Amino acid sequence: MATTASLKIDDKEYPLPVIIGTEGEKAVDTRALRTASGYVSFDQGYGNTGSCESQITYLDGDNGILRHRGYPIEQLAHFSDFVETAYLVIYGELPNPAQRKEFGLNLRKNAVIETQMQKILEGFPTSASPMAMLSAMVSALPAYYPHLATNNFEQDLKHFDSAAAIAMSKIRTIVAMIYRYQKGLPFVFPKQELPFCENFLHMLFSEPYQDYVPVPEVAKALNLVLLLHADHEQNCSTSTVRMVGSSASNLFTSISAGICALAGPLHGGANVAVMQMLQSIHDEGDDGSRFIAAAKSGSKSNRLMGFGHAVYRNFDPRAKIIGEACDTVLTRLGIDDPLLKIAKNLEQAALKDDYFVSRRLYPNVDFYSGIIMRAIGIPMNMFTTMFAIGRAPGYIANWREVAANPKGRIYRPRQIYMGAVKRDYVPMAQRA
Ligand code: ACO
């Protein structure tokens, strides 16, 4: 394989090093190009730019491959659970029994949200967007844990284990509290003895004197949904975490920025948009052809939600897993959700349509995740916050890579200025 490339501009040739990833991914290193030639590379939205070297997740969008730390997502979904996969994503190896126990304990003992912090949540209107509340609460964490969030890489890395457990555990608790707050229900405190997912369901659904104990299928389904979101390479929100972290911002602040990026409907918000789409097809008694026709218009606001991906040009492997799980979970829970049938019909129709086929647009993880979450009892407006709980390990691992990289630099892309050229100030009286 080539070890150097060259770029010819006019008559001058510029040699550029080639970087080969461990899975054979090839990149031309253009870092020195500007200094040597005065040119920058242009890649709007960074679609063809490797912004970092990473050891966390390997994604081959053409072949529908996703692996965390080398382990295929299919194997993790089958054999692992969310907390174990989170450990793997964050620390690089599957935990041994002692490490798994310690990690679990750390998550359990960091589950509670301090009374003062609860007041921040109670300051929001109950109608506020759950993602706005979640990002605000996470950005408040440094105020409560200043010794873990000093905005100094060396210091913050010393306390990484605690900060990581706080982030993961408290994001889950905050999401449960948002749910209760919006419903006008009293908060339910976490229980030390419960596993991660069961504890979350307890905080969501328990009532005074009546603990909610999920059937195993529900806890398993929740584990699967969260596990499938644990990390996904340099997506919009994870790259945001890295970008913010690169300025030496602490873990909590960086994650909070990632949560803001996740909120958009083209990213984490898509799971809500999918359900709205399916619901409106159901309500109108339509077969989905109206949505397919509108999506083909090319307008960004009419896209078929849950379809397409910035990187996958083949099936999103997570969509395959979650699509199959939908059938199993709903059958075991005895739920006949008409939206599942609509989703399947829509998928089949789109997969036969030349517009989607020629653009290689397939269902992504969000196409079916909402149906499972609905079966678990999670309301639609909370779906994107669920994604945030799931993605927390990925944010944490990526922040750590940035903080621990001795050769790292602040993320600071260039631009090609296309605005007005230099002109002189015009006094107000002379302006038309
Ligand atoms: N419906 C209709 N057309 C689409 C869709 C869609 N869902 N997705 C892409 N296209 C079209 C584009 O308009 C483009 O058409 P053109 O070649 O005629 O201009 C073509 O397909 C190729 O688009 P891409 O370059 O693949 O799309 P891009 O990388 O810009 O966007 C994105 C990826 C944002 C995910 C897009 O597919 C989309 O908006 N999907 C719907 C929202 C969604 O489900 N988001 C969740 C993503 S997964 C996640 O965040 C967990």
Side-chain angles (χ1 to χ4, degrees):
M1 230 179 270
T3 51
T4 54
S6 72
L7 181 68
K8 200 168 170 194
I9 303 174
D10 294 331
D11 283 339
K12 199 156 178 219
E13 207 153 317
Y14 299 93
L16 298 167
V18 162
I19 299 176
I20 312 283
T22 52
E23 290 279 359
E25 282 177 303
K26 304 183 280 287
V28 175
D29 181 348
T30 58
R31 279 175 292 182
L33 181 65
R34 186 174 165 278
T35 318
S37 68
Y39 284 78
V40 298
S41 58
F42 178 66
D43 177 22
Q44 177 143 23
Y46 319 127
N48 194 40
T49 293
S51 64
C52 59
E53 291 177 340
S54 177
Q55 299 179 1
I56 305 165
T57 289
Y58 173 66
L59 202 170
D60 174 349
D62 288 328
N63 294 306
I65 293 173
L66 174 64
R67 296 183 201 134
H68 297 317
R69 307 286 191 179
Y71 295 101
I73 191 68
E74 293 79 5
Q75 290 185 25
L76 293 171
H78 191 73
F79 296 113
S80 185
D81 62 19
F82 175 58
V83 172
E84 184 186 67
T85 297
Y87 183 98
L88 170 72
V89 166
I90 295 171
Y91 292 106
E93 294 297 335
L94 287 167
N96 63 30
Q99 289 165 330
R100 173 64 185 81
K101 192 170 169 205
E102 195 191 336
F103 188 54
L105 276 175
N106 236 346
L107 293 173
R108 283 163 204 237
K109 76 174 187 226
N110 282 302
V112 176
I113 294 296
E114 294 69 10
T115 321
Q116 266 193 322
M117 244 191 114
Q118 287 178 25
K119 290 187 186 145
I120 303 181
L121 187 63
E122 286 162 348
F124 279 94
T126 47
S127 58
S129 141
M131 286 299 275
M133 289 196 241
L134 180 60
S135 64
M137 292 293 282
V138 174
S139 76
L141 284 172
Y144 295 87
Y145 302 96
H147 62 295
L148 310 173
T150 63
N151 297 331
N152 173 303
F153 283 149
E154 215 174 299
Q155 278 305 315
D156 289 355
L157 282 171
K158 277 187 199 155
H159 301 286
F160 175 77
D161 292 347
S162 301
I166 287 173
M168 240 186 93
S169 198
K170 290 199 198 296
I171 286 175
R172 169 202 51 175
T173 304
I174 294 166
V175 170
M177 289 170 73
I178 292 170
Y179 168 84
R180 305 279 306 185
Y181 178 63
Q182 289 201 315
K183 286 196 155 294
L185 298 168
F187 298 135
V188 176
F189 288 95
K191 279 190 170 180
Q192 279 271 348
E193 67 274 20
L194 289 179
F196 192 90
C197 287
E198 284 81 347
N199 214 352
F200 176 65
L201 293 165
H202 157 70
M203 288 189 274
L204 281 183
F205 301 135
S206 284
E207 296 301 340
Y209 311 112
Q210 200 178 349
D211 276 358
Y212 173 87
V213 182
V215 294
E217 285 79 12
V218 165
K220 203 170 165 213
L222 179 59
N223 257 298
L224 180 71
V225 171
L226 297 180
L227 181 153
L228 290 176
H229 286 87
D231 189 46
H232 208 235
E233 209 224 36
Q234 294 314 308
N235 56 87
C236 175
S237 56
T238 302
S239 287
T240 301
V241 169
R242 287 188 87 110
M243 178 168 265
V244 173
S246 77
S247 74
S249 282
N250 66 77
L251 178 67
F252 306 134
T253 306
S254 306
I255 293 179
S256 166
I259 291 171
C260 292
L262 186 66
L266 297 189
H267 188 17
N271 51 21
V272 175
V274 170
M275 292 305 278
Q276 284 167 338
M277 178 180 77
L278 297 176
Q279 189 64 54
S280 96
I281 293 173
H282 179 255
D283 294 347
E284 290 167 20
D286 186 33
D287 61 356
S289 48
R290 185 170 70 78
F291 279 87
I292 292 188
K296 286 156 65 171
S297 72
S299 142
K300 263 194 183 155
S301 29
N302 287 330
R303 285 184 168 176
L304 195 61
M305 300 316 285
F307 255 75
H309 197 276
V311 180
Y312 290 118
R313 293 292 174 256
N314 198 318
F315 251 89
D316 176 342
R318 303 166 303 169
K320 251 188 195 168
I321 299 167
I322 216 160
E324 285 162 15
C326 258
D327 281 329
T328 320
V329 172
L330 268 61
T331 308
R332 285 212 199 125
L333 296 179
I335 296 173
D336 181 18
D337 189 339
L339 298 196
L340 178 59
K341 204 178 274 169
I342 291 172
K344 283 186 176 173
N345 289 341
L346 197 61
E347 178 186 341
Q348 286 315 312
L351 291 179
K352 278 190 210 129
D353 191 302
D354 189 52
Y355 175 92
F356 295 91
V357 175
S358 62
R359 288 169 178 75
R360 301 171 75 186
L361 301 170
Y362 296 94
N364 58 50
V365 68
D366 288 323
F367 195 67
Y368 286 109
S369 65
I371 294 173
I372 292 205
M373 288 196 270
R374 190 161 118 126
I376 295 172
I378 291 157
M380 194 164 70
N381 71 327
M382 297 300 295
F383 285 177
T384 314
T385 60
M386 299 298 296
F387 191 153
I389 302 175
R391 187 52 54 85
Y395 293 157
I396 294 166
N398 275 274
W399 177 89
R400 189 191 201 196
E401 270 195 350
V402 170
N405 182 359
K407 290 194 194 140
R409 61 180 293 263
I410 189 164
Y411 280 35
R412 198 335 187 156
R414 297 271 172 170
Q415 64 165 18
I416 314 298
Y417 178 67
M418 294 291 195
V421 294
K422 181 178 179 293
R423 49 188 172 161
D424 291 325
Y425 181 79
V426 181
M428 180 68 87
Q430 291 173 24
R431 289 180 223 159

